[in-house]
Amino acid sequence: ALIRRGGGCGFAHKAVAARNAGALGCIIYNGDDAEEDMVSHVVMGRVFAGIESPDPGIPCCLVDATDGKRLLAASKVGVNVRIDIDRNESFQTFRQQAETGESAHMA
């Protein structure tokens, strides 16, 4: 599933909804109006507005607005997309956060 970030729902809530609709994975993308930068999001938590969502149980990731638009355009014409996640400095930070027990929905 490809889902735009925002709209008053948290990451896990969106991913659970995608799973319940039959998605095998979930990509959440920033909109052009996103106030926060991508660097501040190492993990996508389960708590939003004081409400904890269950673990979605499917792989999920967050991408920036540019990549989200490219994926959205590709989906409209039926193009198959492959996503490779590299192990750069951000991955090491992600790994450290995941080891603390924070829910980390990244494939």
Side-chain angles (χ1 to χ4, degrees), residues 43 93-104:
V43 295
T93 304
F94 160 77
R95 176 191 243 161
Q96 290 169 351
Q97 290 288 343
E99 288 173 353
T100 68
E102 176 68 29
S103 299

Side-chain angles (χ1 to χ4, degrees), residues 5-104:
R5 182 177 173 201
C9 296
F11 296 121
H13 183 91
K14 290 175 185 286
V16 167
R19 180 203 63 207
N20 290 346
L24 300 176
C26 180
I27 300 170
I28 299 173
Y29 68 95
N30 262 351
D32 287 330
D33 57 347
E35 295 179 12
E36 298 178 65
D37 60 54
M38 294 289 294
V39 177
S40 65
H41 289 284
V42 177
V43 295
M44 297 188 298
R46 291 174 31 196
V47 178
F48 181 80
I51 300 170
E52 184 173 352
S53 295
D55 187 327
I58 60 173
C60 305
C61 66
L62 174 67
V63 299
D64 64 23
T66 300
D67 290 335
K69 286 182 192 176
R70 290 175 56 207
L71 291 168
L72 187 59
S75 72
K76 290 180 179 180
V77 295
V79 173
N80 289 325
V81 176
R82 176 184 169 150
I83 299 174
D84 292 320
I85 299 174
D86 63 3
R87 293 182 178 217
N88 59 20
E89 291 175 27
S90 295
F91 180 82
Q92 296 307 321
T93 304
F94 160 77
R95 176 191 243 161
Q96 290 169 351
Q97 290 288 343
E99 288 173 353
T100 68
E102 176 68 29
S103 299

